[in-house]
Amino acid sequence: MCDINKRKVIAVVGPTGVGKSALAIEIAKRFGAEVISCDSMQIYRGMDIGTAKVTPAQMQGVPHHLIDIVDPDVSFSCVEYAAFAKKTVEQLSEKGVLPVFCGGTGQYLDAVLKGTRFSDADIDLSLREALLAKEPIQLWNELDLIDPEAARKIHPNNKKRVVRALEIYQTTGVLKSEWDRRSIDENAPYDALILGLCCSDRDLLRQRIDQRVDEMLEAGLVDEVKRLSFSAHATAKAAIGYKEIISYLKNEITLEEAVQKIKTASRQYAKRQMTWFKANPAIHWLDISVMDAAQRQQAAFLAVEHHISVAQ
């Protein structure tokens, strides 16, 4: 439901390899909008090929924001991204320009589009200490008993997120799954239309991902990694495509093994992305396996036009 008192934004989301950037650019061209990248690795300068960063030619004159804003050896958090993104939204909105988020980092987008978060509440340090003392699987089982919906979205080994979910319930009496719905429905700072690209044909998505990796290698991914300088604990160093090539350059694996590892990791990442986005009932899905580019574009245009035409 649209809220006439909130700034309108559009978001194009989905797993890697489905054509998010191309659709976001077409939307921007049609509605005089500008794109805000929502990718946790495209923020890094010099990491162009391995992150499938849009080139100036591909941008077709559409301004893009939050790309190349920090060096690869700098740590950058979700909280920092949200601050940058919200400032960008305000700047664009003040000029009457529609912001279009584009990317596959669901955590980053949620940090911007959701309102009140549990991080705003007081933390009971003694409770956290008691929870952290337990084994990951024990914590996950506890969460599964009280909030199976939240448990399904969190890997049992992701102790930090499991603890967070338990803290929410034990501190506020509200399940994390319900807390997230309240954040979206009641406290969202923007009136957002979220368009999701998906691919129900798994073989097609696999082919697209594998082809994308091959194109990255042909475009010079190995040389790009050679030119980069990572600090020992840099987050960017662990990016898919980069960590594998680093292993190859250290003679730990062959190039062929590195390429296969990149393809496998990319497919696994796409699966995790879909798991994250499917949990959001507000996303309007467009399936690339049953709709061609023209059909997806037309459907997106109609949805955006309706979204922004509501009286302000």
Side-chain angles (χ1 to χ4, degrees):
M1 181 175 180
C2 294
D3 188 326
I4 62 174
N5 298 313
K6 295 179 179 178
R7 298 191 187 280
K8 294 181 182 295
V9 302
I10 309 298
V12 179
V13 304
T16 185
V18 291
K20 297 183 293 293
S21 293
L23 181 60
I25 288 169
E26 291 302 320
I27 291 173
K29 288 164 55 181
R30 175 67 175 264
F31 296 96
E34 297 185 14
V35 175
I36 301 175
S37 174
C38 188
D39 186 294
S40 62
M41 292 299 151
Q42 290 190 1
I43 60 173
Y44 293 110
R45 302 184 186 99
M47 294 176 62
D48 304 329
I49 298 172
T51 64
K53 198 174 292 179
V54 285
T55 66
Q58 291 169 335
M59 290 180 186
Q60 301 181 56
V62 173
H64 281 59
H65 303 270
L66 302 192
I67 292 176
D68 296 336
I69 59 176
V70 293
D71 291 327
D73 60 347
V74 175
S75 294
F76 195 80
S77 71
C78 183
V79 172
E80 290 172 300
Y81 171 82
F84 272 90
K86 289 176 181 179
K87 182 177 180 180
T88 304
V89 169
E90 295 307 306
Q91 291 172 337
L92 294 180
S93 297
E94 286 172 5
K95 296 189 300 181
V97 175
L98 180 68
V100 179
F101 284 91
C102 177
T105 306
Q107 297 94 322
Y108 275 28
L109 187 67
D110 283 357
V112 178
L113 298 187
K114 290 185 179 182
T116 303
R117 306 296 291 165
F118 183 66
S119 56
D120 298 331
D122 292 334
I123 301 300
D124 184 336
L125 296 180
S126 61
L127 170 61
R128 173 169 292 183
E129 184 176 347
L131 290 172
L132 289 172
K134 299 180 180 181
E135 292 298 315
I137 191 62
Q138 181 184 358
L139 290 167
W140 189 87
N141 286 334
E142 289 182 18
L143 178 61
D144 190 42
L145 283 174
I146 62 171
D147 192 355
E149 181 181 345
R152 284 195 301 271
K153 301 173 188 175
I154 305 174
H155 192 281
N157 290 334
N158 194 333
K159 191 173 184 178
K160 182 178 180 180
R161 287 188 61 201
V162 174
V163 166
R164 198 63 163 166
L166 290 170
E167 283 181 332
I168 290 175
Y169 177 69
Q170 294 186 31
T171 302
T172 68
V174 179
L175 297 177
K176 182 181 184 300
S177 54
E178 177 60 25
W179 186 281
D180 287 344
R181 279 191 288 272
R182 291 184 184 184
S183 293
I184 296 173
D185 297 339
E186 300 173 7
N187 302 303
Y190 306 115
D191 182 5
L193 168 67
I194 310 177
L195 301 171
L197 292 180
C198 64
C199 184
S200 58
D201 185 335
R202 294 184 179 180
D203 289 337
L204 175 60
L205 182 58
R206 179 185 179 122
Q207 292 170 11
R208 289 174 67 100
I209 290 173
D210 287 356
Q211 180 181 346
R212 191 180 196 184
V213 173
D214 289 337
E215 291 172 351
M216 288 177 179
L217 269 294
E218 293 173 7
L221 178 59
V222 173
D223 288 335
E224 177 173 276
V225 177
K226 287 180 180 178
R227 292 193 297 268
L228 292 169
S229 175
F230 296 104
S231 61
H233 304 291
T235 303
K237 189 177 183 180
I240 296 173
Y242 292 87
K243 60 182 177 181
E244 294 85 0
I245 296 301
I246 289 173
S247 292
Y248 159 65
L249 293 173
K250 289 181 177 180
N251 294 316
E252 296 172 348
I253 56 176
T254 66
L255 181 58
E256 292 74 17
E257 289 172 331
V259 172
Q260 194 54 51
K261 285 179 178 290
I262 294 171
K263 290 179 178 180
T264 299
S266 297
R267 293 193 291 267
Q268 292 172 340
Y269 179 53
K271 185 176 181 179
R272 293 196 301 273
Q273 287 174 301
M274 279 305 300
T275 298
W276 183 281
F277 289 124
K278 280 183 177 178
N280 186 347
I283 296 178
H284 302 266
W285 291 103
L286 305 173
D287 192 337
I288 70 169
S289 64
V290 297
M291 303 172 72
D292 62 27
Q295 292 172 324
R296 299 194 301 269
Q297 183 174 299
Q298 182 62 23
F301 285 175
L302 289 173
V304 174
E305 187 172 315
H306 174 74
H307 184 68
I308 64 178
S309 67
V310 177
Q312 302 236 0

